[in-house]
Amino acid sequence: MMTSTDLVLAVNRRRLVKTTNLAIIVLITFLAILKMIVGGANPPPIPAFILLAGLVANAFYLSRGGSPERAAVVLVGLLLLGLILGSVNTGGFSGPVVLLSPLIPLSAMLLISNRAAWLSLWSVGLVLAGLYLLDIYQLIPENPHSATLLKFARFLSVASLCLIATGMMWGLARELKESLAKVKGESNTDFLTGIYNRRAIENILLHEVNRTHRDGDWLSFIIGDIDHFKLYNDSNGHQAGDRCLILAAETIRACCHRAADVVGRFGGEEFVVILPNTGPKGAGKVAEDCRRSIQALNIPYGPGDPRSVTITLGCVSITGSRIESLDQIIKLADDALYRGKHQGRNCAVHAVIEKEVISREVTSH
């Protein structure tokens, strides 16, 4: 089964192959036209015409949804064919085409695989060795153009090689950056609700713990658990349970109005909220807003149970001087949550830890 990350990589590869194919079409067209303008059409650039026909067909294949892997193989094969025909037609090693040979293994490496790069490198090596032998035994016709024109053509070939290679590497770097950003986003996001997952929450909370401990400010952390969620799942099915969790996540997120507030899912039916620079009053309001808003959704537990789904929340507000560790914050909120469960659920239990007061607790219904 293809994941969304695999899909992104496939889309990026298709775009990279299409861009490279188009860039080489433009390059060959430009060089062919320039050759006919400056050097005349005798002999005509037949290898360029053959290569252009193949590249245009390859572009059409890609535009019709063809496999980017196959299109990349065809592209590399056409480049190899163009090297052979073009070098023979332009004077072998004295001509400009042979200077473009590094594009072939580079294209194979970026568009196909490392194995394809090695195979193409060996193929290019064999072609160059063959051209060298043909050149030594004077079996390749000399280029009819002047030495000055040949130097200009070789200059254009080297400049084009640098331009195409740089463009290909830039394109690859861009695609990798987008893919890595997508992978990073997926690794920090809960697949069901779209909010942060436990891994991301613990990383963010650790950052806030360190910052609050250093600055001495307030930090509040809330853990909420949907009441009797197994009963809801058993009565309505797991798909309905998933919709309930998605709606709960959206509701809790709507209760957090600051950009700095962070909402996540710890797993199962457990949600968390990180409230940086927030004392007991602000945290208590957010926790109570979450409780009221979940109850106001009026989601019944089942066909025979009209009671609305509710949530119990445990909240801790602590000053930086009292913070000991990440685990301490989570345990304090978790303990408050379980006290709320024992008190009858559908409530928010708030523990406050500060300099003068070791602990004071507020329960809201």
Side-chain angles (χ1 to χ4, degrees):
M1 180 178 178
M2 178 177 281
T3 66
S4 57
T5 301
D6 294 332
L7 183 60
V8 170
L9 292 172
V11 170
N12 287 354
R13 170 172 285 189
R14 173 177 294 276
R15 185 165 59 186
L16 189 59
V17 173
K18 289 177 70 173
T19 303
T20 304
N21 196 86
L22 179 61
I24 295 176
I25 288 176
V26 172
L27 170 64
I28 294 173
T29 303
F30 169 74
L31 293 177
I33 293 174
L34 188 65
K35 189 267 178 189
M36 289 189 292
I37 292 174
V38 177
N42 189 23
I46 295 176
F49 296 152
I50 295 174
L51 195 55
L52 280 174
L55 290 169
V56 170
N58 205 34
F60 179 75
Y61 170 74
L62 279 169
S63 68
R64 301 285 292 182
S67 166
E69 291 80 9
R70 291 181 181 177
V73 171
V74 170
L75 175 59
V76 172
L78 287 171
L79 289 176
L80 190 61
L81 177 63
L83 173 64
I84 297 171
L85 297 179
S87 298
V88 171
N89 197 53
T90 59
F93 276 91
S94 64
V97 174
V98 73
L99 298 176
L100 297 174
S101 56
L103 278 178
I104 300 173
L106 177 62
S107 299
M109 180 178 66
L110 296 182
L111 304 180
I112 308 175
S113 65
N114 289 337
R115 181 182 178 184
W118 281 109
L119 289 174
S120 64
L121 183 61
W122 277 101
S123 300
V124 169
L126 290 173
V127 170
L128 293 178
L131 290 172
Y132 176 71
L133 291 175
L134 292 174
D135 225 354
I136 285 179
Y137 291 102
Q138 299 180 348
L139 297 176
I140 295 179
E142 292 186 6
N143 196 303
H145 300 298
S146 66
T148 302
L149 192 57
L150 276 175
K151 286 182 180 179
F152 178 65
R154 290 170 68 85
F155 161 74
L156 286 179
S157 294
V158 173
S160 300
L161 172 63
C162 294
L163 182 63
I164 295 291
T166 302
M168 291 173 68
M169 294 304 296
W170 176 82
L172 177 66
R174 184 187 64 180
E175 306 302 344
L176 286 176
K177 185 177 180 181
E178 291 180 4
S179 298
L180 288 173
K182 181 69 176 179
V183 170
K184 182 179 179 181
E186 287 185 347
S187 67
N188 291 327
T189 304
D190 177 61
F191 73 97
L192 176 65
T193 60
I195 58 179
Y196 285 112
N197 59 18
R198 180 162 188 153
R199 174 184 178 182
I201 283 293
E202 289 186 347
N203 288 335
I204 296 171
L205 183 58
L206 179 61
H207 171 76
E208 291 299 334
V209 163
N210 293 333
R211 185 195 59 78
T212 305
H213 185 72
R214 182 178 62 252
D215 297 344
D217 208 336
W218 281 99
L219 173 64
S220 293
F221 181 65
I222 302 172
I223 298 180
D225 187 83
I226 304 295
D227 296 325
H228 304 297
F229 187 70
K230 185 178 184 302
L231 171 63
Y232 184 88
N233 256 346
D234 293 343
S235 301
N236 301 280
H238 290 287
Q239 289 186 334
D242 288 346
R243 290 193 293 270
C244 178
L245 291 175
I246 293 170
L247 191 56
E250 293 173 350
T251 303
I252 294 171
R253 186 159 47 186
C255 294
C256 302
H257 305 293
R258 302 181 309 165
D261 299 340
V262 178
V263 178
R265 182 185 176 200
F266 245 27
E269 62 272 23
E270 237 179 26
F271 297 91
V272 296
V273 180
I274 302 173
L275 300 170
N277 301 314
T278 304
K281 183 177 179 180
K285 182 179 184 308
V286 171
E288 181 60 14
D289 286 348
C290 290
R291 187 193 68 80
R292 291 177 181 272
S293 297
I294 294 292
Q295 189 173 21
L297 294 174
N298 291 321
I299 303 174
Y301 275 101
D305 190 347
R307 292 179 301 159
S308 296
V309 170
T310 58
I311 188 171
T312 301
L313 303 109
C315 177
V316 58
S317 294
I318 187 169
T319 55
S321 60
R322 301 290 299 180
I323 293 178
E324 297 174 3
S325 66
L326 169 71
D327 292 338
Q328 174 207 22
I329 304 291
I330 296 175
K331 186 177 186 305
L332 288 169
D334 211 35
D335 289 346
L337 170 65
Y338 278 99
R339 286 195 292 274
K341 292 284 186 181
H342 290 313
Q343 290 177 22
R345 295 182 169 83
N346 190 24
C347 62
V349 176
H350 194 175
V352 181
I353 314 295
E354 53 185 314
K355 290 181 181 179
E356 294 81 9
V357 181
I358 296 178
S359 177
R360 55 187 171 88
E361 191 171 294
V362 178
T363 304
S364 56
H365 292 271

